[in-house]
Amino acid sequence: MVRLGFLVNTAAPGYVDTDSNNHTGHLTPAQGAAVVVRLATLGVDGPTAGFFSEDGPLPW
């Protein structure tokens, strides 16, 4: 695979307690953000073209 200097991944943060679900989620916003922050701070040798939850890779 040719790498062009950026990684593309997607995240499933889980059922987060937000206004959009009338605060019925069981995760705090900070807990939901953890997977997003982890993906945003991957090194250049990190995974790409993946789908991730806080527990790790998920099938597409």
Side-chain angles (χ1 to χ4, degrees):
M1 179 182 323
V2 176
R3 301 227 177 182
L4 301 174
F6 56 91
L7 306 173
V8 178
N9 291 294
T10 190
Y15 194 42
V16 178
D17 184 3
T18 65
D19 289 345
S20 65
N21 64 21
N22 203 27
H23 298 282
T24 59
H26 60 273
L27 297 173
T28 67
Q31 289 170 314
V35 66
V36 177
V37 171
R38 184 168 37 101
L39 292 173
T41 58
L42 287 171
V44 296
D45 60 341
T48 192
F51 182 40
F52 297 89
S53 73
E54 184 56 30
D55 297 327
L58 296 170
W60 279 100

